Amino acid sequence: MNKKKLAWQLPFLAILIIGTIIILKKQAPFRTDEGFVFGTVYKITYQSEDNLKEEIETELKKVDNSLSPFNPNSVITRVNHNEKTEVDSFFVHVFHLSKKISDETHGAFDITVAPLVNAWGFGFKKSTGVDSLIVDSLRQMIGYQKIDLQNNRIMKKDPRIMLDCSAIAKGFGVDAVARLLERKGIKNYMVDIGGEVVVRGKNSKMNAWRIGINKPVDDSLSVNQELQTVLAISDVGMATSGNYRNFYYKGGKKYAHTIDPRTGYPVQHSILSSTVIAKDCASADAYATAFMVMGLDSAKAFCEAHPELDAYFICSGEGDKYETYFTDGMKKFIINEK
């Protein structure tokens, strides 16, 4: 009886297996597009029958034309030059998000920091040198409360105010490409621009996406790829801010690119690398920078008050050793902790 029943079921089992194989073969392939944008490299992997590289680069160009202070014709450049110009939808989104995060972090994140960033040699204008008198002078034109958006125009309380969205624009560019892929109906993808990431769905092996966090080794050439930990994530944005790739030495002292808008000086905290996971990459990008400015104790307190954020901090320890701290929510993503 059992043999007869098995013989009767075998054809249906074979049909099921063959059908499954056919369905898998019909799934769209995973594609990877790579290029250079915002002064860094991008890598975008997505599951689609269509090659979308041209549309992706068009979207990235729109972001550059809106928010890049290195682009002489961008919206933000015209704003910095006090030209009468209406800002576009990209600029409006980033402006409002920046003001919100500035309020939440009490000015640790501030897009009016541009004059200080330039003075310290990390901005879009050549530094002419900096000392305490220059810092004190420049601080008079720093402050997110001194700018407003009215009828799609930026209003400044001081015409010398300049904006720099570098600590949020790259993350926003990642989000812009992710939105493009969503509009195309793509469910599985990873958008990576210089380490700022949005992931959705599954990778080509139908697992969560694996994203590494680099060890914060001084590496101005960006050649070191040694990992501190690996995360398995999906349906989130992630960004890392660190002082180990953009710095210089002067008079035997190291000056890193993260400037505290409130003091006017490069930060000297123990945090070497700040990684944030949030619902979108622009927010993760901005918070990661804010935490670098705030220092570990304040960053930990902020994360405890904002459980919607997860963070992983790598800090300087004794000798050449690192110390790490991560939120409880980050634990579920960690698959390989060094």
Side-chain angles (χ1 to χ4, degrees):
M1 182 68 180
N2 289 337
K3 289 183 178 180
K4 288 183 179 180
K5 187 176 181 181
L6 181 60
W8 181 79
Q9 290 177 339
L10 280 175
F12 293 96
L13 182 60
I15 291 172
L16 180 62
I17 294 172
I18 293 171
T20 302
I21 293 173
I22 291 173
I23 290 171
L24 290 174
K25 285 186 175 180
K26 285 186 176 180
Q27 285 186 343
F30 277 80
R31 303 174 179 274
T32 298
D33 293 333
E34 298 178 286
F36 191 79
V37 69
F38 311 148
T40 188
V41 295
Y42 74 78
K43 182 177 181 180
I44 301 168
T45 300
Y46 54 99
Q47 187 179 26
S48 174
E49 295 287 357
D50 302 318
N51 187 326
L52 301 175
K53 184 171 185 178
E54 184 174 342
E55 292 180 69
I56 288 169
E57 293 199 334
T58 296
E59 199 72 8
L60 291 172
K61 186 66 175 176
K62 291 179 183 177
V63 177
D64 187 82
N65 286 337
S66 178
L67 296 166
S68 173
F70 298 94
N71 181 338
N73 300 311
S74 69
V75 172
I76 196 169
T77 296
R78 296 200 300 271
V79 168
N80 285 340
H81 291 168
N82 295 313
E83 297 178 19
K84 290 185 177 180
T85 183
E86 287 194 7
V87 299
D88 58 19
S89 61
F90 284 1
F91 193 104
V92 170
H93 179 94
V94 169
F95 182 86
H96 287 311
L97 181 59
S98 297
K99 292 271 278 190
K100 169 182 173 289
I101 294 174
S102 293
D103 276 330
E104 292 176 346
T105 61
H106 304 292
F109 178 81
D110 192 332
I111 61 173
T112 68
V113 75
L116 287 167
V117 175
N118 289 333
W120 284 104
F122 298 108
F124 50 87
K125 286 192 172 185
K126 187 175 181 180
S127 174
T128 56
V130 62
D131 56 29
S132 60
L133 292 177
I134 291 175
V135 169
D136 288 342
S137 175
L138 293 177
R139 286 181 61 200
Q140 305 308 308
M141 62 187 81
I142 307 300
Y144 66 96
Q145 308 94 332
K146 299 176 182 179
I147 54 173
D148 199 6
L149 181 62
Q150 299 178 10
N151 299 319
N152 284 341
R153 294 184 186 274
I154 295 296
M155 311 301 293
K156 305 178 184 179
K157 291 186 176 180
D158 186 328
R160 298 174 299 168
I161 292 172
M162 291 189 293
L163 310 183
D164 184 355
C165 296
S166 298
I168 192 172
K170 191 164 58 170
F172 177 77
V174 173
D175 290 332
V177 174
R179 286 192 293 270
L180 168 65
L181 298 178
E182 293 283 347
R183 292 196 298 270
K184 296 290 183 179
I186 296 171
K187 303 302 182 184
N188 299 311
Y189 62 82
M190 176 190 70
V191 182
D192 179 349
I193 302 179
E196 320 299 34
V197 176
V198 163
V199 288
R200 293 286 184 271
K202 306 292 185 180
N203 61 21
S204 60
K205 296 180 180 179
M206 292 296 112
N207 296 317
W209 296 89
R210 266 56 170 175
I211 308 295
I213 297 177
N214 289 101
K215 287 190 174 182
V217 178
D218 282 357
D219 180 31
S220 60
L221 298 178
S222 299
V223 295
N224 177 66
Q225 296 299 321
E226 188 177 1
L227 298 180
Q228 175 69 31
T229 192
V230 177
L231 309 178
I233 59 176
S234 188
D235 304 325
V236 295
M238 185 184 106
T240 297
S241 181
N243 283 329
Y244 54 97
R245 285 186 174 162
N246 193 1
F247 60 89
Y248 62 82
Y249 285 92
K250 186 175 181 180
K253 186 176 180 180
K254 180 180 177 181
Y255 295 89
H257 79 287
T258 303
I259 310 298
D260 188 335
R262 304 163 301 182
T263 67
Y265 289 88
V267 298
Q268 298 291 326
H269 298 307
S270 65
I271 299 180
L272 302 174
S273 170
S274 165
T275 296
V276 175
I277 290 179
K279 61 182 177 59
D280 62 277
C281 195
S283 295
D285 199 3
Y287 285 120
T289 298
F291 293 159
M292 291 293 298
V293 171
M294 292 162 68
L296 184 59
D297 290 341
S298 294
K300 286 168 64 175
F302 188 94
C303 289
E304 289 172 3
H306 293 80
E308 72 277 10
L309 300 175
D310 285 309
Y312 186 104
F313 303 111
I314 306 175
C315 306
S316 55
E318 292 184 4
D320 295 328
K321 294 183 179 180
Y322 301 129
E323 295 180 357
T324 62
Y325 167 83
F326 45 87
T327 58
D328 288 340
M330 183 65 82
K331 294 177 182 178
K332 64 181 177 291
F333 300 119
I334 298 172
I335 60 175
N336 185 11
E337 174 72 0
K338 302 294 185 180

